[in-house]
Amino acid sequence: MEVEEEVRRIVEQVKELHDSATSFVSSSSHEELSLRKRSSLVDASITRLHSILLSDKHHDPKLLEKLEEDLQRARCMLADGDTSSFLPSKPQGRFVRMFLGPVNVRASRKDIQLKVKEEYNSYRDRTALLFLVFPAILLTLRSYVWEGCLPAFPVQLYQAWLLFLYAGLAMRENILRANGSDIRSWWLYHHYCAMAMALVSLTWEIRGQPNCVQKQKGVRLFLQWAMMQGVAMLLQNRYQRQRLYTRIALGKAKRMDVVWGETAGVDGQLLLLCPILFTLQGFEAYVGLQLLRTALTGVVGEWQVLICGILLVVMAIGNFINTVETLMVKSRFKAKMKRSKSRAELD
């Protein structure tokens, strides 16, 4: 009888708890809907005022610049706080829907969003090191163990790893964009091109002797380019984060922002990274053109060589354009900061 009474009491408690939870969810849903409407209105007002300031040519430029800075800080405050979870989310890309289906990948809490970003940064750090070490090991073994001729399996294993790497980067960056990160669209397209190249190269027959050196010239050049890419990624990862922390502190960027291929930062680091980036892009285009020449002259006639060459040239051109655009933005930003500093000194 005591057990029966206790079971009855537990059932009643569960019903009461269920009713309380339903009431809470209903009331919180109404509050959430109200916050979403207010957040959307404020965000739309910021966008509208930004357009007005850009088209206004009659007022004092100094005043317009100050108002623009205040609007940018307000936008960062809106996007960086808990209000960000109530803003309209960006549509999820086809890439995420293709793998995960119609699942909402937007985190409702800011601390979870920041953990996603931290994991993305950690993934980039790990893969940058492997990007440097993996091809270096292959080239070293080719010279001292494999007598100048790469076996097919290690190269295909490396290409499979590249496919996994770029698929992971594309998935993470699509999720970050859904959570408010301002990642440039080009870097997603770049990862898609790199995935296609890795997938195609998996079916590329790596020929050995005779005349192994000539037949594998494209593979050797690609591995050398990959080592340079690893060095550039390590440098980028190191100082991009320094610059981003500074921009966040100044209210110029959101905490969810990440920068791929960014070349703005500390001037001493910029002098080191810019030549490396442009050299890397030039060498990438050179490798692509060499693959195209190899395919068109009939030295290695597989269609995979032609496709990989085209993709490498396209990625090199896209990377170059993106880097130049970033440098132009940095130049305008520095000029703006100098003007602000001069006005402060005069005041």
Side-chain angles (χ1 to χ4, degrees):
M1 293 296 293
E2 291 180 0
V3 173
E4 183 180 356
E5 189 68 27
E6 188 173 353
V7 169
R8 190 180 296 111
R9 188 170 62 254
I10 289 296
V11 171
E12 290 299 325
Q13 289 177 358
V14 169
K15 288 181 179 178
E16 292 177 3
L17 187 62
H18 173 73
D19 293 340
S20 299
T22 302
S23 176
F24 171 76
V25 170
S26 177
S27 61
S28 62
S29 297
H30 289 301
E31 293 179 7
E32 179 181 349
L33 183 61
S34 174
L35 283 171
R36 287 189 183 280
K37 289 181 178 179
R38 290 170 59 191
S39 301
S40 298
L41 287 174
V42 171
D43 187 51
S45 297
I46 291 176
T47 302
R48 178 177 56 82
L49 288 171
H50 178 70
S51 301
I52 292 174
L53 290 177
L54 288 179
S55 59
D56 194 339
K57 305 296 183 184
H58 305 292
H59 290 84
D60 183 10
K62 295 180 181 180
L63 175 62
L64 293 176
E65 190 174 321
K66 181 182 181 303
L67 294 174
E68 176 65 28
E69 290 178 358
D70 292 341
L71 270 183
Q72 180 63 27
R73 290 192 180 91
R75 185 186 292 276
C76 289
M77 189 183 301
L78 186 68
D80 267 349
D82 293 329
T83 316
S84 62
S85 59
F86 300 107
L87 292 173
S89 59
K90 295 180 180 179
Q92 294 175 188
R94 293 182 181 178
F95 186 80
V96 174
R97 294 199 303 270
M98 181 175 64
F99 282 94
L100 302 180
V103 178
N104 183 18
V105 296
R106 184 179 175 90
S108 58
R109 288 164 42 193
K110 178 57 68 174
D111 59 332
I112 298 177
Q113 293 179 349
L114 293 175
K115 285 181 180 178
V116 173
K117 178 189 170 182
E118 289 172 5
E119 197 281 332
Y120 166 77
N121 286 332
S122 176
Y123 182 76
R124 280 187 59 181
D125 289 338
R126 296 194 307 270
T127 53
L129 188 59
L130 286 174
F131 221 118
L132 173 62
V133 172
F134 210 147
I137 291 174
L138 289 178
L139 290 173
T140 302
L141 291 175
R142 169 189 170 272
S143 299
Y144 296 101
V145 178
W146 293 326
E147 299 178 353
C149 194
L150 288 163
F153 178 72
V155 177
Q156 290 175 336
L157 182 64
Y158 175 63
Q159 298 293 353
W161 177 79
L162 283 181
L163 179 60
F164 169 79
L165 161 68
Y166 284 111
L169 283 172
M171 180 66 72
R172 285 166 171 81
E173 291 180 5
N174 273 287
I175 292 174
L176 282 170
R177 288 195 73 180
N179 282 277
S181 183
D182 189 19
I183 296 176
R184 292 191 177 188
S185 299
W186 160 248
W187 294 111
L188 292 173
Y189 297 136
H190 173 274
H191 299 339
Y192 300 151
C193 290
M195 287 167 58
M197 185 182 69
L199 187 60
V200 168
S201 63
L202 278 172
T203 65
W204 181 356
E205 183 182 359
I206 307 297
R207 295 186 178 182
Q209 300 291 356
N211 198 16
C212 174
V213 175
Q214 181 65 25
K215 293 175 181 177
Q216 293 188 355
K217 181 180 179 181
V219 178
R220 188 176 70 255
L221 288 173
F222 179 81
L223 292 175
Q224 292 170 356
W225 167 81
M227 289 178 60
M228 295 175 61
Q229 173 79 350
V231 173
M233 287 174 66
L234 286 171
L235 289 172
Q236 285 175 312
N237 291 351
R238 179 177 179 271
Y239 93 178
Q240 282 173 5
R241 227 155 289 165
Q242 294 178 0
R243 176 183 182 258
L244 193 57
Y245 291 153
T246 302
R247 286 178 58 81
I248 291 171
L250 293 172
K252 302 293 184 181
K254 305 186 293 291
R255 284 185 294 171
M256 281 301 295
D257 283 352
V258 296
V259 193
W260 247 106
E262 179 68 60
T263 56
V266 182
D267 287 338
Q269 295 172 329
L270 186 63
L271 292 174
L272 173 64
L273 186 57
C274 263
I276 291 178
L277 284 176
F278 285 122
T279 303
L280 180 68
Q281 292 156 10
F283 193 64
E284 184 177 20
Y286 170 73
V287 173
L289 292 173
Q290 286 295 313
L291 290 177
L292 289 175
R293 187 177 66 84
T294 301
L296 296 176
T297 55
V299 176
V300 181
E302 287 90 347
W303 62 271
Q304 294 93 333
V305 180
L306 181 65
I307 297 298
C308 288
I310 293 173
L311 288 173
L312 277 172
V313 172
V314 169
M315 288 191 290
I317 294 173
N319 291 344
F320 176 78
I321 293 173
N322 185 78
T323 303
V324 172
E325 287 178 350
T326 304
L327 287 173
M328 292 174 65
V329 170
K330 174 182 171 60
S331 178
R332 289 195 293 268
F333 177 76
K334 286 181 111 178
K336 184 177 179 181
M337 291 298 292
K338 286 181 179 179
R339 289 196 301 270
S340 301
K341 186 177 179 180
S342 300
R343 286 200 305 272
E345 290 175 350
L346 288 174
D347 292 339

